Amino acid sequence: MNASVVIHWTDVGAASDVPYQGARRVETDLGAVAVFHTVSGEYFAIFDRCPHKNGPLSEGIVHGKAVACPLHNWSISLETGQALGADAGKGCTPVVPLMIEDGRILLGLNS
Ligand code: FES
C-alpha cells in the first residue's frame, strides 16, 4: 500500500511584501514562520525560532541561503534549518514547504 501525504497550501500574502535579502514574519496556527527572500531571488520558509535559544530569525541578517540569528549570531541554513559552521550539529529549525504561485506565498502548514 502506498502512503501519500497531501500538502494543504495556505496563502500567507504577496511575495512582493517580503523585502529583498530580508524576511517577513507570518503568524500561523502552528507558530510564527519566517519567510525569507534571498539575494538570488529565492524564497524559503522556516519557523521563526532559532534552535539555540529561540531567537527571532526573521530579524536576522540574510547571507546567501542562510540567516544570522540576531541574538548570538548562529548561522542557520534556510534550505535545511540546520545550524552551520562552528555550530553545525547543535540544532535545527523545522523547514516549512513553500511555493510561489501567481505572486502569492503558499506555505504547506499541515498539522
Ligand atoms: S538564540 Fe539564536 S544564536 Fe542564540
Side-chain angles (χ1 to χ4, degrees):
M1 185 168 85
N2 276 342
S4 61
V5 175
V6 176
I7 295 180
H8 297 285
W9 297 100
T10 302
D11 185 327
V12 295
S16 59
D17 286 346
V18 184
Y20 182 66
Q21 208 169 357
R24 190 180 138 227
R25 179 180 168 103
V26 176
E27 299 296 336
T28 79
D29 290 344
L30 301 180
V33 172
V35 177
F36 294 91
H37 185 189
T38 68
V39 70
S40 61
E42 293 178 279
Y43 289 83
F44 296 94
I46 61 177
F47 280 92
D48 195 16
R49 54 175 194 264
C50 178
H52 181 216
K53 293 189 176 176
N54 296 323
L57 296 175
S58 61
E59 297 175 22
I61 294 175
V62 178
H63 54 99
K65 293 181 183 179
V67 60
C69 178
L71 294 194
H72 314 100
N73 208 36
W74 278 26
S75 185
I76 309 299
S77 167
L78 300 179
E79 295 179 294
T80 67
Q82 297 277 353
L84 301 171
D87 300 304
K90 294 182 182 174
C92 181
T93 295
V95 172
V96 179
L98 175 151
M99 69 176 176
I100 306 293
E101 193 171 85
D102 296 330
R104 306 293 298 179
I105 302 164
L106 304 179
L107 298 182
L109 290 170
N110 290 21
S111 54

